[in-house]
Amino acid sequence: MTDLFEMLTTIARRRNGDTTSPFSSVRRLEKWLVKLPQETEYDTHHALIEGLERFNAENEVASMDRLRVLLRLEEVGMPMQERIVEQYVRNQAAFRLARQSLWRESWMFWSLMAEGWLDLLKQANKGPVVDLLKPHLVMIAARALRYAGLAMRWDYHQGQAPGPSAWKRVHKIYRMVERQGHACDNVMLNGNSSTVAREYALVVLTGLVHPLGYRALEIQRIAEILEGYANLPLPETKLEKSQHTHVVDISLNCGAMVLDDHWMHGDRLRYLSLGGLIQYLQSLEQGEDGHPDFGLPQQMASLIERGGLRRNRQRTNRFGRVWVTSGMDNILSALETGKPVIERPALEPWMVRDESPEGMGFNLSPDENVPIGRLIATSWDPSENVWQLLVTRWCKNEEGQLQIGTQRLSRHPKRVEIYPETGHPVTEQEKTMGVFLPLANTDQGVSNLLLPATLYSKGAYLILRDADVAYRLRLGEVQETHESWVRVSMDVVGREQFAAAA
């Protein structure tokens, strides 16, 4: 009966022209917030997102009331959003469907908040309410940048690089505030002091790290490391070749790149001095919580120093079927020489789309589940026992197909036996197998080794056995983590015939 009364009251109000939005004032918003579903926090969060969609769709002229309403929606939504993100990161190892829905909820919140603040920013910069909102312009711009950057970060979680429109948006916001001389004005964001220049630098630096292929926990850790660096380098307008290492062209719809002799002074160029940040990252050994980062800061330093990951070679269209196996147990089994065909792992046929010296692209059915960062071994003809090792870097649904992009780690991966230098294992059960990746990075001319994470310790010595030869290795930095395995650099410090070494 109560529901019927409320429905009739709503109809009467509409007939009388009373269509006041719940977002027209903070007082009305509070009444709307009280009525949000409370069965689960996910339901409450989802209803809040629907409210944000409605708030943005109203397309009202900016006012102090709308500013206060958006601040209140942010205040209510952020604690819930943080818990949703925590669940999303925690559920990566299982609950695939829940993981996807949590990602979508998080991405929608970031995107809608960015849209709401960007609309206010446009009107604070140009329109009938400029004088009213001008005192709040820096606060609005910093929030628009923060949420736009978070939406871009969530693209990385899906193995997708932010598009040109995303970069155009953040460049435009920063340029507008910089032009007015307020890029370094302090503003409070989520309880911390920041500036528009700092928020812009965080977006640019994340783009330099280019965390495609990293796990959700690692992407969040990358953000924590960058945000926790107090002396974050800010963009500068005057080029100092002895100091500046990277450059952003704000007239282009892309991120930063390494500064070289090609770059000169320019009105649309912003320069970054990242030497101090790189040294800081290289000095970090473990996370703030005491758990090892498996070389993540060092990986960040390497990627920033190189200017991020860029696909700089043309891919050639190549159609056909290649046989694929994934998961380290299956890969080790595939690489085992002399094994009967009946004992080899099950193989899947993948359709090749294109290929380059760096990797391969595939077309799969849209219901396939291929996590970013998954190691796969491929062969055109398994009977020849010739395999390549690749890692998935991105995936997207397009024209009813799942498109997969992979990076080639080695054309000739080799299964090897590894053990601590303290002695050779006595029994078969004690043997540990790894994968040697000859010249995994041809630009640097180094080889990598895949081994279980439990065996890794930076600087530790291992013995690698390949047939009758034993190599003494010193383990270097972790290049990347792959589930419970790590891919590490190494130095060969000794070699001898196995018979003599045993």
Side-chain angles (χ1 to χ4, degrees), residues 347-359:
L347 303 176
E348 301 178 25
W350 284 18
M351 297 305 298
V352 179
R353 185 181 70 254
D354 52 28
E355 186 176 16
S356 79
E358 283 91 6

Side-chain angles (χ1 to χ4, degrees), residues 394-414:
W394 57 265
C395 61
K396 63 179 179 180
N397 285 292
E398 190 169 302
E399 298 179 353
Q401 289 184 319
L402 179 66
Q403 295 190 356
I404 302 291
T406 65
Q407 178 188 1
R408 183 179 288 107
L409 300 180
S410 178
R411 290 185 179 274
H412 305 287
K414 180 176 288 190

Side-chain angles (χ1 to χ4, degrees), residues 109-128:
F109 182 85
W110 301 135
S111 300
L112 290 169
M113 290 299 295
E115 182 182 343
W117 286 111
L118 184 60
D119 180 63
L120 286 177
L121 180 62
K122 290 176 181 177
Q123 298 190 59
N125 187 58
K126 184 178 180 181

Side-chain angles (χ1 to χ4, degrees), residues 139-261:
M139 180 269 288
I140 296 171
R143 281 175 160 78
L145 256 178
R146 164 66 64 89
Y147 292 117
L150 285 165
M152 292 168 71
R153 188 197 304 173
W154 248 245
D155 286 336
Y156 290 121
H157 280 284
Q158 288 293 92
Q160 298 180 6
S165 60
W167 282 111
K168 182 178 180 180
R169 172 190 286 185
V170 297
H171 291 333
K172 191 173 182 179
I173 294 172
Y174 175 72
R175 177 64 180 133
M176 184 194 72
V177 180
E178 180 196 54
R179 192 186 302 119
Q180 298 181 12
H182 299 300
C184 293
D185 291 2
N186 287 323
V187 62
M188 293 302 295
L189 275 176
N190 201 23
N192 298 312
S193 177
S194 187
T195 66
V196 168
R198 181 178 175 83
E199 294 302 315
Y200 179 68
L202 286 170
V203 177
V204 170
L205 289 172
T206 304
L208 273 173
V209 176
H210 202 71
L212 291 178
Y214 282 94
R215 296 175 298 174
L217 182 62
E218 292 169 329
I219 294 175
Q220 292 301 95
R221 181 69 182 134
I222 288 169
E224 290 175 6
I225 292 172
L226 292 176
E227 290 172 4
Y229 185 56
N231 299 320
L232 199 73
L234 303 180
E236 300 179 41
T237 56
K238 294 183 179 180
L239 173 61
E240 295 289 343
K241 290 191 175 182
S242 61
Q243 298 179 10
H244 292 133
T245 58
H246 294 69
V247 63
V248 185
D249 188 338
I250 60 177
S251 66
L252 301 178
N253 300 330
C254 59
M257 56 204 76
V258 171
L259 186 65
D260 54 31
D261 294 337

Side-chain angles (χ1 to χ4, degrees), residues 230-406:
N231 299 320
L232 199 73
L234 303 180
E236 300 179 41
T237 56
K238 294 183 179 180
L239 173 61
E240 295 289 343
K241 290 191 175 182
S242 61
Q243 298 179 10
H244 292 133
T245 58
H246 294 69
V247 63
V248 185
D249 188 338
I250 60 177
S251 66
L252 301 178
N253 300 330
C254 59
M257 56 204 76
V258 171
L259 186 65
D260 54 31
D261 294 337
H262 168 71
W263 294 100
M264 303 298 289
H265 294 277
D267 292 341
R268 294 303 182 98
L269 302 181
R270 298 296 175 269
Y271 307 97
L272 295 163
S273 178
L274 304 186
L277 173 62
I278 291 171
Q279 291 179 4
Y280 167 74
L281 293 172
Q282 291 172 340
S283 70
L284 294 179
E285 293 293 336
Q286 61 181 12
E288 296 175 1
D289 52 7
H291 294 290
D293 279 326
F294 288 118
L296 186 60
Q298 289 77 18
Q299 295 173 44
M300 293 168 61
S302 176
L303 288 167
I304 291 173
E305 198 167 22
R306 298 202 311 261
L309 294 173
R310 285 185 173 81
R311 195 172 79 183
N312 52 16
R313 299 189 187 179
Q314 293 293 324
R315 288 183 174 246
T316 303
N317 291 332
R318 182 172 185 179
F319 302 101
R321 182 183 64 182
V322 65
W323 293 98
V324 173
T325 188
S326 63
M328 282 306 302
D329 288 342
N330 287 332
I331 290 172
L332 288 171
S333 180
L335 296 178
E336 186 175 358
T337 57
K339 191 170 187 178
V341 175
I342 194 171
E343 297 181 18
R344 291 193 175 277
L347 303 176
E348 301 178 25
W350 284 18
M351 297 305 298
V352 179
R353 185 181 70 254
D354 52 28
E355 186 176 16
S356 79
E358 283 91 6
M360 302 175 74
F362 301 95
N363 285 331
L364 305 180
S365 62
D367 56 348
E368 291 280 354
N369 176 32
V370 183
I372 304 302
R374 170 68 60 84
L375 292 171
I376 62 171
T378 66
S379 176
W380 290 97
D381 186 355
S383 65
E384 296 180 356
N385 203 33
V386 176
W387 297 88
Q388 299 183 49
L389 191 71
L390 303 101
V391 57
T392 58
R393 290 305 187 198
W394 57 265
C395 61
K396 63 179 179 180
N397 285 292
E398 190 169 302
E399 298 179 353
Q401 289 184 319
L402 179 66
Q403 295 190 356
I404 302 291
T406 65

Side-chain angles (χ1 to χ4, degrees), residues 74-93:
E74 177 187 87
E75 181 184 9
V76 173
M78 276 302 296
M80 284 189 288
Q81 174 74 350
E82 289 173 359
R83 290 189 287 271
I84 290 290
V85 169
E86 183 182 346
Q87 290 183 48
Y88 163 71
V89 172
R90 191 171 60 241
N91 288 342
Q92 291 304 297

